[in-house]
Amino acid sequence: MWRRVLALFIKELLAVLADPRGRWLLIGPPLIQLVVFGYAASFDLNHVPIAIYNQDRSQASRDLAARFAGSPTFTVEALLSSGRRVNELIDSRQVEAVVLIDRRFTRDLYRHVPAPVQVIVDGRNSNTGLLIEGYAGSILTAFSLAWSRAHGGNPPPAVLDARALYNQTLDSHWFIIPGIIALLTQVETLLVVGLSVARERELGTFDQLLVTPLRQLDILLGKGLPGLLVGLAEASIIIAATVLWFHVPLRGSLAALYLGLLLFVLAVTGIGLAISALSATQQQALLGAFLFLVPSIILSGFATPIANMPRWVRELTLLNPMRYILVIVRSVFLRGSGLGELLSQLWPMALIGIATLAAAGWLFRKRVT
Amino acid sequence: MSDDTAGAAIVLEDVRRSFRSGRRSVEALAGVSARARRAQITGLVGPDGAGKTTLMRLIAGLLRPDGGRIEVLGVDVARNPLLVQARLGYMPQRFGLYEDLTVAENLALYADLQNLSAGARAARYAELMRMTGLGPFQSRRAGRLSGGMKQKLGLACTLVNPPQLLLLDEPTVGVDPVSRRELWQIIEHLVRQARATVLFSTAYLDEAERCDQVLLIHEGRLLGSGPPEQFTAAMRGRSFIATAPIDRRALQERLARTAGVLDTVIQGGRVRVVTSEDSPDIRAISAAVPDLTLTPIAPRFEDGFVARLRARGADGPAAAAGTGVAQAQPAPYAQQAPGGREAVIRVSEVTRRFGEFTAVDKVSFEVKRGEVFGLLGANGAGKSTTFRMLCGLLPPTEGALRVAGFDLRTAAAVARRRIGYMAQRFSLYEDLSVRQNLRFFSSVYGLSGRRQRRRIDWAGGEFGLGALAEAKAGELPLGFKQRLALACALMHEPEILFLDEPTSGVDPLARREFWRRINVLAGQGVTVLVTTHFMEEAEYCDRLLIMAQGRVLTEGTPDAIKAAARRPERPDPTLEDAFIAAIGTGGAPQAP
């Protein structure tokens, strides 16, 4: 049996690798995507265009405005002399926020009563809006602390002293790039496996395979193992690029990471084979793959935290292998986790893998009839 | 020749076109000069890969020639392709029918695309429906039509706005003889009544004889042009039917090796012989086989083609294949297959339903060891379904199938080692090399070590694939693809061989070579089951089974089936005549 599976395995790899275009497709696009996503995808706000309307025109208010201008987060696009253009600037997206320093600002500071500063934020992208509010708040806090230190008076009653573990500078690339490892591994594995059976069906070679002594299990293995190998190779390339190019620290156990990836690729291979078994043409297989890919990414915690999702969606994500591998990749990279801590993420993937492979085998048999 | 040019709908002058395939450049057309006359059917005849489709696309202005000039209806195609396209109808090999639309909707769509005025539609639709006989099926989805009906619908869509010139690219491929004849009637009607000009490409050489003019092309070159009689006239007095009281395969074998014999083909129980000389030395040939009778018969188009190919000598792959035929006896297997003449394929009361539709209805037959058995039928008659059930690709709804004592659906995988399978269109892994294909198929069938190496070497030598071992299967010429497909199916020396239209589209020499191998295999006790639309192939079979509407219509030797179709007005029917007669009389649904 193993000799036959090996023959199919070699044939599959040859079919993928013999074609220069096939080789390039496995290495080129993932790396390009990694680089593009790696630079493009970020939650950090940089150079947000803002306008400042300083009604106070005093030493203190200029000092505060300078803090906004000097922050890497903001770029001051306009200094307003009246309130007329505030709405227009935000409406036309020339600025994302307007800082209004009230006429009584300095007077209130010296009187030790709360000095009013208003931030008007473009709320169309709620996420950015919240972040702008947060950044503005921290600039104001820093200003208040400095002011009370220099001029006496009551310091703010409670001060937040935040310190980030694992990612000290809260660089969101460190969060996103390890996620891309899981994302690209899933996409490539799914496509390699998902299209392989459909392609043979289209060419008519699948019938030829079915009349050979190969059994369903042999075909499943012969088709699945190359996907496993390709998926792991793909992951390795991206991991190397993550560490060497983006300098994201890889702190934890490599063994744990690879065990996780192995189980993840296994589960994805099962899904790919099931899609393949259901499709009569490559086009259908491609559609099926994307039908799975999009929800699996959105419901994985790749971009939006699973904790924010409603309960029933949260429970749905338990079926999504990407949810687990994301936890594993991120903890191994940033927290330095080892095998022991990740067991709770490993076994569900193993379970999903067994289930999807069994389902693929069953669909195979069903579809063949 | 100005007179000739005036009457020409198509003028080709030294037309050249190459394609890049990987790193190689393939010359699809190597300088073709020819003419097609107005209001005639010009047949563009040649095997697959001859350059027929390329020429069609060049004429339709869909490709640009690398060199030469093409004039269509008096217009230079390269200068004004749009004007030419407005005047011609082009039906490519895979016509763009929308499978989810009904017959009527497809027709309406093409009427829209061709700007047929609303007023003219009703009359035109009625005319087309009458012509194609599709009237009763107007609300059927195109995807549910049989192969022959699809081609007729494609033709109807092309004819919505009657074109001055009609280009038909292999419209009869995969179409059963009955539908084929109907398609021809439509086209002949079109030319005679509407005075349209038709360029009709085909790989079926017998269709050449229905054309007014023939352009015979092979490997990108024009081998000859003229009325079909011109091709056969040169062969007059050289064609004979040979009979002798010995096995027909042995007879063919002997005759093929006799000096003065150019070509031999099995036809039922007899052998068709073409001699190499104009004034053949009949006596010398007769002496080669005891009690041989040679009866002169009319030459056919294929004789002329074969003579031309053989005269060209061993300068092309097909010609090389031809010389191989007359050489040493191939020895495919090391040993004779075991056992006597018992039935190795048994089909009893097999029914297969797809939902409401009964594709195969209580079919029973048996095939004996060493027999070459042909499964024939019109499109949709259930022969492909039966074939797939026998191969284990499809379970029967009722009844039992036994192949070498096993039901291949449920038997252990090992049982499948006893069969070989060659799919239509030669399903090879085109990205893999010849050697990789051979290694893969032999490994899958459990060959390893020395035996595997020996069989791969055997395939390389026997099929002339040795020098091409590293070539990609997809880049092989068609004849070699077919050889490789057969080699892959024979690696494990199966005792039963399933063949699905094995020589469709290949040139006549490659087909002869193929069947010669099959005959030798049958002689060694290998059972061969063929399904085909191609009456040439059916002639090689020991026994035939003709199916219609899911049932067995008739069963018997090719000679017996032909004899049953003998009528006073048709004393010597061809197998195609017999096939059509059988379908015609028994094709109607029978009372249960």
Side-chain angles (χ1 to χ4, degrees):
Chain A
M1 166 191 165
W2 287 108
R3 187 172 292 133
R4 290 197 296 265
V5 174
L6 186 69
L8 189 55
F9 176 76
I10 291 171
K11 187 229 94 184
E12 288 295 317
L13 281 187
L14 281 174
V16 174
L17 299 177
D19 181 13
R21 268 183 315 176
R23 280 198 300 266
W24 156 250
L25 275 178
L26 283 182
I27 298 169
L31 277 183
I32 293 172
Q33 286 180 59
L34 176 68
V35 170
V36 172
F37 294 170
Y39 283 109
S42 166
F43 299 135
D44 306 334
L45 288 184
N46 288 308
H47 311 297
V48 177
I50 59 166
I52 296 177
Y53 178 21
N54 187 354
Q55 295 172 320
D56 189 40
R57 294 170 190 275
S58 68
Q59 168 76 38
S61 67
R62 274 199 296 274
D63 184 24
L64 178 64
R67 278 176 184 265
F68 274 98
S71 151
T73 312
F74 298 113
T75 308
V76 178
E77 286 288 321
L79 288 169
L80 307 180
S81 48
S82 82
R84 272 183 297 124
R85 291 185 61 215
V86 170
N87 281 336
E88 179 207 323
L89 281 172
I90 290 180
D91 201 44
S92 59
R93 293 192 188 251
Q94 290 180 51
V95 300
E96 298 261 352
V98 177
V99 179
L100 278 162
I101 304 175
D102 195 85
R103 204 182 315 117
R104 291 159 300 176
F105 182 69
T106 314
R107 194 191 67 190
D108 287 345
L109 277 178
Y110 281 107
R111 286 165 65 185
H112 302 298
V113 296
V117 177
Q118 188 185 21
V119 180
I120 300 167
V121 178
D122 182 349
R124 277 173 286 194
N125 184 339
S126 55
N127 198 32
T128 321
L130 274 173
L131 285 168
I132 292 172
E133 275 181 45
Y135 280 116
S138 54
I139 287 176
L140 215 62
T141 310
F143 172 84
S144 306
L145 277 171
W147 173 268
S148 52
R149 214 173 295 133
H151 298 85
N154 302 336
V159 179
L160 184 68
D161 183 12
R163 190 164 299 162
L165 292 179
Y166 312 122
N167 185 356
Q168 286 77 2
T169 56
L170 281 178
D171 181 346
S172 69
H173 290 111
W174 285 23
F175 176 73
I176 289 173
I177 294 173
I180 293 175
I181 298 173
L183 180 76
L184 290 180
T185 305
Q186 166 157 308
V187 172
E188 292 285 326
T189 311
L190 203 62
L191 289 183
V192 166
V193 177
L195 291 182
S196 73
V197 175
R199 184 172 50 229
E200 291 216 32
R201 243 196 212 114
E202 234 170 64
L203 293 175
T205 46
F206 200 62
D207 280 354
Q208 191 91 52
L209 277 190
L210 290 175
V211 299
T212 65
L214 286 170
R215 291 167 304 168
Q216 313 264 355
L217 181 66
D218 301 337
I219 297 180
L220 207 64
L221 284 171
K223 289 273 173 196
L225 288 173
L228 213 64
L229 193 73
V230 166
L232 286 179
E234 201 74 60
S236 305
I237 295 172
I238 306 169
I239 288 171
T242 307
V243 174
L244 299 175
W245 181 259
F246 286 104
H247 303 292
V248 178
L250 177 55
R251 294 174 175 139
S253 138
L254 215 66
L257 181 63
Y258 269 88
L259 183 63
L261 283 169
L262 179 76
L263 293 174
F264 174 62
V265 174
L266 202 70
V268 175
T269 300
I271 293 166
L273 283 173
I275 291 172
S276 218
L278 284 171
S279 323
T281 61
Q282 293 195 67
Q283 199 186 9
Q284 284 177 14
L286 207 62
L287 271 175
F290 278 96
L291 214 61
F292 167 78
L293 272 176
V294 174
S296 91
I297 292 165
I298 290 173
L299 300 182
S300 68
F302 174 73
T304 49
I306 290 174
N308 293 358
M309 298 174 189
R311 194 195 154 96
W312 65 274
V313 179
R314 275 208 308 271
E315 279 165 8
L316 199 65
T317 64
L318 294 177
L319 295 172
N320 183 2
M322 191 160 159
R323 166 206 166 112
Y324 305 100
I325 191 66
L326 275 178
V327 175
I328 293 175
V329 172
R330 282 170 181 161
S331 4
V332 170
F333 262 92
L334 301 181
R335 207 169 76 198
S337 298
L339 205 53
E341 306 163 57
L342 295 171
L343 277 179
S344 62
Q345 308 293 326
L346 289 170
W347 69 261
M349 279 199 299
L351 220 60
I352 295 173
I354 292 168
T356 53
L357 283 169
W362 182 77
L363 282 172
F364 234 54
R365 188 179 294 267
K366 198 156 159 55
R367 177 73 203 206
V368 163
T369 58
Chain B
M1 297 300 274
S2 64
D3 170 58
D4 196 29
T5 313
I10 303 170
V11 179
L12 305 170
E13 276 169 16
D14 194 32
V15 175
R16 294 169 184 279
R17 174 72 204 204
S18 314
F19 293 99
R20 295 200 66 75
S21 159
R23 269 159 291 171
R24 297 181 312 133
S25 172
V26 181
E27 200 165 37
L29 288 174
V32 171
S33 302
R35 274 160 223 286
R37 296 215 185 110
R38 284 178 200 263
Q40 284 198 341
I41 303 176
T42 301
L44 189 56
V45 182
D48 287 1
K52 299 191 297 293
T53 299
T54 306
L55 194 55
M56 285 267 180
R57 292 175 59 82
L58 286 167
I59 292 169
L62 300 171
L63 277 178
R64 282 179 167 278
D66 297 337
R69 209 174 72 87
I70 304 172
E71 201 182 289
V72 176
L73 301 168
V75 179
D76 186 331
V77 179
R79 289 233 184 92
N80 204 342
L82 286 175
L83 182 62
V84 171
Q85 281 156 13
R87 293 186 190 171
L88 61 77
Y90 173 48
M91 181 171 153
Q93 265 179 52
R94 284 191 183 174
F95 185 75
L97 286 179
Y98 292 86
E99 305 232 317
D100 293 320
L101 299 185
T102 64
V103 169
E105 285 165 347
N106 266 293
L107 211 55
L109 177 69
Y110 278 92
D112 288 342
L113 291 176
Q114 297 178 20
N115 288 326
L116 185 68
S117 68
R121 287 189 188 199
R124 188 69 193 148
Y125 289 174
E127 163 77 5
L128 289 169
M129 287 295 117
R130 191 188 52 72
M131 216 158 85
T132 53
L134 288 171
F137 307 101
Q138 292 202 44
S139 53
R140 190 180 285 193
R141 287 196 300 119
R144 301 281 311 272
L145 296 176
S146 73
M149 279 153 85
K150 274 186 196 162
Q151 291 299 76
K152 279 189 255 176
L153 177 58
L155 186 59
C157 291
T158 315
L159 295 175
V160 159
N161 212 349
Q164 294 176 42
L165 170 66
L166 187 59
L167 305 179
L168 303 173
D169 195 1
E170 302 207 35
T172 51
V173 132
V175 171
D176 66 70
V178 179
S179 309
R180 202 142 75 95
R181 208 164 263 200
E182 287 165 1
L183 269 169
W184 265 102
Q185 281 159 0
I186 298 172
I187 293 160
E188 279 166 355
H189 174 83
L190 206 69
V191 172
R192 307 297 169 239
Q193 303 293 311
R195 309 275 304 150
T197 306
V198 174
L199 185 66
F200 185 106
S201 84
T202 180
Y204 295 118
L205 298 177
D206 54 333
E207 292 190 332
E209 287 169 40
R210 303 192 70 147
C211 301
D212 300 311
Q213 299 281 327
V214 172
L215 306 176
L216 179 61
I217 65 170
H218 185 60
E219 293 170 356
R221 288 184 167 79
L222 193 69
L223 278 193
S225 66
E229 305 79 53
Q230 186 183 313
F231 289 82
T232 47
M235 304 305 294
R236 194 160 297 140
R238 291 169 61 179
S239 304
F240 300 89
I241 283 286
T243 47
I246 55 169
D247 176 63
R248 63 201 183 114
R249 295 199 184 110
L251 176 61
Q252 186 202 19
E253 200 64 41
R254 288 240 200 120
L255 286 169
R257 274 181 279 139
T258 305
V261 172
L262 183 75
D263 184 35
T264 55
V265 179
I266 288 180
Q267 283 202 325
R270 304 175 294 181
V271 176
R272 197 171 196 285
V273 179
V274 178
T275 62
S276 25
E277 308 294 325
D278 284 345
S279 49
D281 188 356
I282 302 287
R283 223 170 314 154
I285 295 170
S286 301
V289 182
D291 297 323
L292 182 78
T293 15
L294 286 174
T295 318
I297 49 158
R300 53 179 188 173
F301 185 82
E302 183 170 326
D303 298 338
F305 186 21
V306 170
R308 274 166 213 252
L309 285 181
R310 295 243 203 258
R312 270 157 41 99
D315 61 343
T323 54
V325 171
Q327 280 168 4
Q329 167 114 356
Y333 292 3
Q335 292 152 15
Q336 190 89 3
R341 298 280 292 174
E342 77 279 8
V344 285
I345 298 177
R346 284 173 205 273
V347 176
S348 42
E349 297 278 298
V350 164
T351 297
R352 171 72 209 195
R353 290 190 202 93
F354 296 100
E356 290 289 288
F357 174 64
T358 306
V360 174
D361 192 7
K362 296 209 184 94
V363 165
S364 306
F365 63 91
E366 287 190 347
V367 183
K368 292 195 181 63
R369 186 182 301 283
E371 214 174 9
V372 180
F373 189 84
L375 201 53
L376 312 185
N379 295 112
K383 70 174 163 42
S384 304
T385 309
T386 309
F387 188 77
R388 289 177 64 80
M389 284 193 286
L390 279 169
C391 299
L393 292 170
L394 203 66
T397 315
E398 283 159 28
L401 298 109
R402 283 261 180 275
V403 175
F406 299 99
D407 178 350
L408 292 178
R409 276 294 300 170
T410 51
V414 192
R416 287 202 290 263
R417 217 180 270 172
R418 302 171 71 165
I419 68 159
Y421 172 86
M422 190 172 141
Q424 207 176 344
R425 293 184 293 128
F426 327 131
S427 303
L428 298 162
Y429 292 102
E430 305 224 321
D431 285 338
L432 303 193
S433 71
V434 168
R435 189 195 304 280
Q436 285 165 344
N437 267 291
L438 288 170
R439 186 170 297 143
F440 171 67
F441 281 107
S442 53
S443 304
V444 159
Y445 278 102
L447 267 59
S448 62
R450 256 189 48 205
R451 182 160 174 237
Q452 183 175 27
R453 277 198 302 279
R454 234 183 29 233
R455 287 303 284 175
I456 292 177
D457 289 345
W458 163 80
E462 173 67 35
F463 290 91
L465 293 166
L468 294 165
E470 304 308 326
K472 281 195 178 182
E475 291 173 2
L476 295 178
L478 191 80
F480 278 95
K481 270 189 199 169
Q482 182 210 41
R483 290 195 211 176
L484 176 58
L486 183 61
C488 287
L490 292 178
M491 290 308 275
H492 58 297
E493 303 179 40
E495 54 185 276
I496 299 170
L497 197 54
F498 288 102
L499 307 172
D500 191 356
E501 295 218 12
T503 62
S504 172
V506 304
D507 72 62
L509 296 188
R511 187 182 331 122
R512 282 159 175 68
E513 180 209 333
F514 180 89
W515 278 100
R516 190 182 143 91
R517 287 179 205 284
I518 297 300
N519 283 339
V520 174
L521 285 170
Q524 285 194 307
V526 177
T527 311
V528 182
L529 192 121
V530 194
T531 159
T532 186
H533 278 319
F534 203 27
M535 292 302 127
E536 276 283 327
E537 288 185 334
E539 292 274 15
Y540 286 96
C541 296
D542 293 308
R543 263 183 331 125
L544 298 174
L545 181 98
I546 301 182
M547 289 182 72
Q549 299 182 341
R551 295 174 189 223
V552 176
L553 211 59
T554 177
E555 192 182 341
T557 64
D559 284 344
I561 287 175
K562 278 187 271 191
R566 203 172 288 149
R567 300 281 178 279
E569 73 279 8
R570 193 176 52 203
D572 191 14
T574 63
L575 197 51
E576 184 171 310
D577 294 329
F579 179 87
I580 290 169
I583 302 267
T585 54
Q590 292 149 4

